Amino acid sequence: MSLTEIETYGVERIPDADRTARPIDLFRLAFGGANTFATCVLGAFPILFGLSFWQGLAATVLGLVVGALILAPLSLFGPLNGTNNAVSSSAHLGVHGRVVGSFLSLLTAIAFFSISVWSSGDALVGGAHRLAGLPDTDLSYGVAYALFAVLVLIVCVYGFRFMLFVNKIAVAAASLLFVLGAFAFAGDFDPSYPGTLAAGDPLFWPSFIGAALIVLSNPVSFGAFLGDWSRYIPATTPKSRVMAAAFLAQLATILPFLFGLTTASIIATKAADYLDPAAPNYVGGLLAVSPGWYFVPVCLIALIGGMSTGTTSLYGTGLDFSSVFTRFSRVQATVFIGTLSIVFIFIGRFAANLTQSISTFATLIITCTAPWMVIMMLGYVTRRGWYDPEALQVFNRRQSGGRYWFTHGWNWRGLSAWLVSAGLALLFVNLPGQFVGPLGDLAGGVDISLPVGLAVAGVLYLALLTAFPEPREVYGPEGPRLVRTADTPILPIVETVG
């Protein structure tokens, strides 16, 4: 497939002849999707929480490593099954139950597409205002948002190869511009920045853990649509290389995280009003403390980063929409859902003021995605990594039956584990000023929703598999690992009437 040829594949299994991507391509896409201002904003949170620079760095590294370890196994489903992770989840949630993964991916992608357009557009207009006196008006912001959104939509319509080409350039260019920031802020940066929490402050551990969990949420946010990109990697590629690519891509995001952490400590010292916890404005603070010559790099990071994050997010929306509404091709679904997303971006920014709400919404979706990821990983382990690619495609082909039909297309074991763990996790969410669940204050103000969701999903799913064994046929020739099986007959795959 050439660079300018429009991709026609949807969620059907990619033919082996067309699966020519490499693990390094997965690295570029996963890293490029996070090497942006949106990640820098997350990097500023340790300072917002009152931590010192070194405490913030420790929280960031902890969150990144743990998050990357959780994410890495989700990269295996794409090469193995030649389709995206939502379709692969048919094996554990049922061929109808896999719509859970499709909608989680769809909503996550729309949220992050909106955030990337807003944050990059704000940085571009702010930098141009400081550099060239561009009017800081709604019209300027509207033009910037439209520019990003339309360019991203064009790239996503062309598909995987063109998106990969954009990210190859974006990863190198954005990384270089972030490194250039070391020279821009070297004179103002003080690594001994003490933070605002005094020694022995009872809020230290809640703040440290909260900052680490915010960082951890960034790798987790890629879980539902990591297979969108890895499905073009050949099935014969060593699993260790695929997982290493996903893991190292997240570790590489220490670059934008460190940029955000470092510049936030400078903002806290020189322009503290921009880091008011009640209404933080990281981009405004960054422009306030940046030297004049760095305004151009800021604008370029905004443009490049917005393209990179936007394409990796919006590409997934078209793919997942077409996987749920199978009458749409990938291109039709991308144009349709992309247009709706662009309309949402303008309404949310200028009519409904949803810029803060969408960040909260993205956090809640990630909270629900984490238990789904655990079920997928444990499912992979208990199945010994064996799947039936044809049975995974039953829903897309408007068929019924097969290994993953379970109960009318629903596997209540996986679905129950996800519903209970996701629901319980939402009760523990603690986002002050945004959303606090009924149990959000049980941990002294620390948001422990992700750990709760991950732990409950793991324990409950294994318990259900043990108490209510799945059919022997879903486990393949080597049988199950850790769990028992049942001699339940499997219905043949048949065409659905009508």
Side-chain angles (χ1 to χ4, degrees):
M1 184 185 298
S2 67
L3 184 66
T4 56
E5 183 180 349
I6 293 179
E7 179 189 5
T8 57
Y9 293 126
V11 292
E12 66 271 21
R13 189 175 189 275
I14 304 297
D16 292 340
D18 290 330
R19 296 169 67 180
T20 57
R22 299 170 297 163
I24 187 64
D25 296 322
L26 176 62
F27 172 90
R28 290 189 182 108
L29 288 168
F31 177 40
N35 197 27
T36 65
F37 270 128
T39 305
C40 296
V41 172
L42 296 180
F45 270 90
I47 302 301
L48 276 169
F49 285 1
L51 300 179
S52 71
F53 171 78
W54 291 110
Q55 292 165 347
L57 181 60
T60 299
V61 171
L62 175 63
L64 263 186
V65 171
V66 174
L69 287 172
I70 294 171
L71 175 70
L74 271 294
S75 64
L76 298 177
F77 293 95
L80 187 62
N81 298 320
T83 187
N84 70 349
N85 285 358
V87 173
S88 293
S89 73
S90 299
H92 309 298
L93 301 180
V95 296
H96 291 159
R98 64 92 162 171
V99 298
V100 169
S102 295
F103 277 111
L104 286 173
S105 179
L106 180 66
L107 294 174
T108 302
I110 291 175
F112 276 89
F113 174 54
S114 302
I115 292 171
S116 71
V117 170
W118 284 332
S119 61
S120 297
D122 290 350
L124 181 62
V125 172
H129 174 70
R130 295 286 300 274
L131 181 67
L134 179 73
D136 192 7
T137 63
D138 284 349
L139 176 61
S140 297
Y141 286 109
V143 171
Y145 298 155
L147 173 66
F148 280 122
V150 171
L151 287 176
V152 166
L153 181 57
I154 291 172
V155 172
C156 291
V157 165
Y158 275 96
F160 179 80
R161 300 296 175 189
F162 198 42
M163 180 178 67
L164 181 59
F165 171 75
V166 169
N167 274 271
K168 284 180 179 179
I169 299 172
V171 164
S175 298
L176 179 62
L177 293 167
F178 276 128
V179 171
L180 193 61
F183 299 96
F185 299 105
D188 295 321
F189 173 55
D190 180 7
S192 63
Y193 171 76
T196 58
L197 295 177
D201 194 307
L203 291 177
F204 170 74
W205 284 112
S207 299
F208 183 88
I209 296 172
L213 289 175
I214 285 177
V215 174
L216 182 148
S217 70
N218 199 55
V220 169
S221 70
F222 286 87
F225 46 86
L226 199 59
D228 295 355
W229 316 321
S230 65
R231 66 198 179 112
Y232 274 96
I233 297 176
T236 55
T237 305
K239 295 180 176 63
S240 58
R241 291 183 59 199
V242 177
M243 290 181 62
F247 179 78
L248 293 175
Q250 296 307 313
L251 291 193
T253 62
I254 189 65
L255 180 61
F257 271 112
L258 187 58
F259 183 92
L261 179 69
T262 301
T263 51
S265 69
I266 297 171
I267 295 168
T269 302
K270 299 184 65 177
D273 289 345
Y274 287 99
L275 293 187
D276 180 0
N281 180 6
Y282 169 76
V283 173
L286 176 66
L287 293 171
V289 301
S290 295
W293 65 266
Y294 197 64
F295 291 156
V296 171
V298 165
C299 293
L300 290 175
I301 291 174
L303 180 61
I304 296 169
M307 284 291 295
S308 186
T309 302
T311 52
T312 52
S313 297
L314 191 60
Y315 177 76
T317 65
L319 200 61
D320 283 293
F321 192 80
S322 65
S323 74
V324 176
F325 301 97
T326 54
R327 295 185 185 276
F328 282 83
S329 69
R330 187 201 68 83
V331 173
Q332 291 171 331
T334 299
V335 172
F336 176 73
I337 203 70
T339 302
L340 287 182
S341 299
I342 292 171
V343 172
F344 172 78
I345 285 171
F346 278 86
I347 293 176
R349 172 62 170 81
F350 298 112
N353 194 25
L354 295 178
T355 50
Q356 184 67 41
S357 300
I358 196 67
S359 299
T360 305
F361 177 71
T363 302
L364 298 180
I365 291 298
I366 292 169
T367 302
C368 294
T369 301
W372 179 87
M373 294 170 63
V374 170
I375 291 167
M376 290 286 287
M377 286 185 282
L378 289 177
Y380 181 93
V381 172
T382 58
R383 303 281 177 87
R384 299 181 184 272
W386 186 91
Y387 295 89
D388 181 350
E390 291 301 309
L392 292 174
Q393 297 289 338
V394 163
F395 181 90
N396 309 324
R397 296 171 180 170
R398 301 188 185 93
Q399 299 169 326
S400 64
R403 299 177 193 270
Y404 308 130
W405 186 248
F406 298 104
T407 305
H408 304 292
W410 305 89
N411 186 353
W412 61 267
R413 303 163 187 83
L415 284 170
S416 298
W418 175 74
L419 282 169
V420 172
S421 55
L424 191 60
L426 289 174
L427 296 180
F428 281 91
V429 170
N430 190 317
L431 301 172
Q434 300 177 51
F435 178 88
V436 178
L439 304 179
D441 292 321
L442 281 187
V446 179
D447 185 337
I448 60 171
S449 56
L450 276 178
V452 167
L454 293 168
V456 172
V459 172
L460 184 56
Y461 184 50
L462 286 179
L464 289 172
L465 289 179
T466 302
F468 306 97
E470 292 178 325
R472 172 67 179 80
E473 291 298 315
V474 306
Y475 288 100
E478 295 185 21
R481 180 187 284 126
L482 303 177
V483 296
R484 301 181 294 121
T485 65
D487 292 325
T488 306
I490 298 297
L491 296 176
I493 296 176
V494 298
E495 300 296 327
T496 302
V497 177

